[in-house]
Amino acid sequence: PCESGNSMPWFGMDIGGTLCKLVYFEPKYITKDEADAEVETLKNIRQYLTKNSAYGKTGHRDAHLQMDDVCIRGRRGTLHFIRFPTCEMGNFLALAKSKGMATLVTTVCATGGGAYKFEENFKKEVNLSLAKFDELDSLIKGMLYIEMTNPCECYYWCDPTDEDKCNKVPYDFSHPYPFLLVNIGSGVSILAVHGPNDYKRISGTSLGGGTFLGLCCLLTGCNTFEEAIELATVGDSTKVDKLVRDIYGGDYSRFGLPGDLVASSFGQMNSKDRRNTVSKEDLARATLVTITNNIGSISRMCARNEKIERVVFVGNFLRVNPISMKLLASAMEYWSEGTLKALFLEHEGYFGAVGCLLQFTG
Ligand code: ADP
């Protein structure tokens, strides 16, 4: 039954510093009353959203993440996952207007900094009100809901340092607490989560996904995240970094530091000769490794301080980025002598958007 005030459509939006994540709930069954009442514009919007996988030049629907037959507030339906660069917000608003969103005069649930930054634009340009929710509340609510709903949401990387043996293994996260949640977006937030409504933000760093992409564009001339990851995939960071063996000629065994450990990120690049021999692929890889290892090391210190053993990494920095996931997995394992476990989630960047959709009560 459709409760009053829960009028469709249901959207959740997480407007971040780099990407805007949009989650759309498409009901499976529409009551006769709803069908009669459904205005033509809503039908059009539904069709537009669910039939396309690309919207304009920069919008994408992640069809592989779609969740069918889920239950939200007593309604069954499908969750669709859509993203576009936040800098395209102007075009998004124009599109929403041209599709007649204005005539629906509904409220859109929104979270992330953009929910504040763009609130006026939504009102003025599309006549939409935003129901604003806190981004960290939404992140946790969304991840707990998706994890409970999708049996193969949570996984870890086994044998992360072995190219051939390494693969994804499902992880049973049915008793989640306590865990550390590391959200790697443009920047990084680290939360200690002890219960569904019991968490604190314990740390963070401004050296995040945005830093990787920014530095990579500067150093290699690339223009997109996908391009940066492709370059990094074939690059060799040891041509850029100074390793323990570059300094010691081998291991620094007294303190258990192996020769292939990075002693100084980008430490070779002070030499002109070295600079002349590195490729943009090597630079992209070194940037990725530097940012990832720094996040890994801060996460480890947080886990140790909080006496928490499971660390869940989320955020779009991990999108199409197995290099970073494996690095985080192996660094966690290695430096904790096997006591820390790095966990990952399939819907990595979408939890904030899902969480704010769930909190909407009309
Ligand atoms: P935010 O909410 O701060 O935008 P996200 O969790 O969406 O954070 O992650 C943004 C980061 O994800 C970027 O800084 C970049 O490292 C990475 N990323 C992944 N895919 C893309 C993409 N298509 N465009 C831009 N950045 C991307």
Side-chain angles (χ1 to χ4, degrees):
C2 180
E3 296 156 35
S4 65
N6 273 350
S7 63
M8 300 284 172
W10 293 351
F11 289 105
M13 239 182 164
D14 176 3
I15 313 173
T18 308
L19 292 175
C20 179
K21 285 72 65 177
L22 176 67
V23 173
Y24 167 58
F25 179 76
E26 179 195 16
K28 193 169 182 183
Y29 307 105
I30 307 181
T31 61
K32 172 116 190 10
D33 283 355
E34 279 179 301
D36 292 345
E38 189 176 57
V39 282
E40 204 57 29
T41 46
L42 181 48
K43 234 179 250 166
N44 289 342
I45 288 170
R46 184 200 314 292
Q47 272 172 8
Y48 177 73
L49 286 178
T50 59
K51 299 288 175 288
N52 290 299
S53 60
Y55 312 94
K57 282 201 185 74
T58 54
H60 294 277
R61 181 161 61 93
D62 284 312
H64 67 288
L65 295 179
Q66 177 173 327
M67 291 170 77
D68 295 311
D69 208 28
V70 299
C71 185
I72 294 181
R73 286 196 296 276
R75 297 290 298 257
R76 296 219 149 261
T78 300
L79 280 177
H80 298 275
F81 298 89
I82 295 160
R83 63 184 152 84
F84 60 88
T86 302
C87 59
E88 297 286 333
M89 188 55 81
N91 286 329
F92 172 81
L93 291 171
L95 180 79
K97 189 170 185 178
S98 78
K99 293 281 164 194
M101 283 283 268
T103 61
L104 297 170
V105 202
T106 5
T107 303
V108 172
C109 315
T111 188
Y116 296 84
K117 184 173 169 188
F118 297 109
E119 186 171 24
E120 276 290 301
N121 304 77
F122 272 84
K123 192 75 220 165
K124 279 213 187 98
E125 289 162 43
V126 204
N127 195 26
L128 277 175
S129 307
L130 297 185
K132 300 195 289 309
F133 298 96
D134 177 76
E135 63 175 298
L136 298 181
D137 286 352
S138 300
L139 174 69
I140 292 176
K141 283 189 169 49
M143 87 151 260
L144 293 174
Y145 172 81
I146 297 285
E147 203 286 319
M148 252 169 41
T149 311
N150 179 15
C152 40
E153 180 69 24
C154 187
Y155 63 93
Y156 66 96
W157 290 89
C158 77
D159 297 306
T161 49
D162 187 323
E163 274 282 322
D164 302 322
K165 278 203 274 175
C166 180
N167 64 315
K168 283 164 78 165
V169 183
Y171 183 83
D172 177 7
F173 201 54
S174 48
H175 301 285
Y177 308 109
F179 65 92
L180 208 68
L181 185 58
V182 181
N183 185 27
I184 319 179
S186 310
V188 183
S189 276
I190 303 182
L191 319 176
V193 187
H194 293 276
N197 296 304
D198 177 12
Y199 76 90
K200 54 184 196 262
R201 184 182 187 278
I202 51 172
S203 191
T205 166
S206 65
L207 304 185
T211 318
F212 161 66
L213 189 51
L215 287 177
C216 217
C217 291
L218 281 173
L219 288 170
T220 72
C222 73
N223 285 302
T224 66
F225 180 76
E226 285 76 5
E227 217 184 312
I229 293 291
E230 267 167 40
L231 290 171
T233 304
V234 293
D236 178 359
S237 56
T238 66
K239 301 215 167 100
V240 179
D241 294 338
K242 201 166 266 184
L243 308 185
V244 168
R245 69 159 179 263
D246 296 322
I247 303 171
Y248 273 79
D251 300 342
Y252 179 15
S253 17
R254 184 164 176 229
F255 290 103
L257 302 178
D260 61 1
L261 187 73
V262 181
S264 170
S265 301
F266 281 81
Q268 309 265 36
M269 294 296 91
N270 62 325
S271 143
K272 191 166 186 203
D273 291 346
R274 292 281 186 175
R275 283 201 297 279
N276 288 333
T277 63
V278 295
S279 64
K280 55 184 181 173
E281 287 82 0
D282 299 335
L283 289 167
R285 180 66 162 241
T287 311
L288 190 62
V289 170
T290 299
I291 295 297
T292 305
N293 279 342
N294 187 56
I295 295 168
S297 121
I298 295 170
S299 305
R300 257 184 345 263
M301 287 191 282
C302 290
R304 195 170 54 199
N305 282 344
E306 299 290 318
K307 302 187 172 50
I308 290 177
E309 293 189 340
R310 287 174 304 176
V311 185
V312 183
F313 292 96
V314 297
N316 276 321
F317 173 65
L318 300 174
R319 226 192 105 243
V320 297
N321 185 3
I323 297 175
S324 289
M325 289 194 273
K326 291 175 192 175
L327 258 181
L328 288 168
S330 57
M332 292 307 230
E333 213 173 279
Y334 180 85
W335 292 107
S336 71
E337 275 136 13
T339 60
L340 288 183
K341 189 139 205 88
L343 300 171
F344 302 92
L345 299 169
E346 295 290 350
H347 290 81
E348 60 229 340
Y350 280 109
F351 300 119
V354 173
C356 82
L357 170 75
L358 294 173
Q359 288 173 90
F360 184 55
T361 51

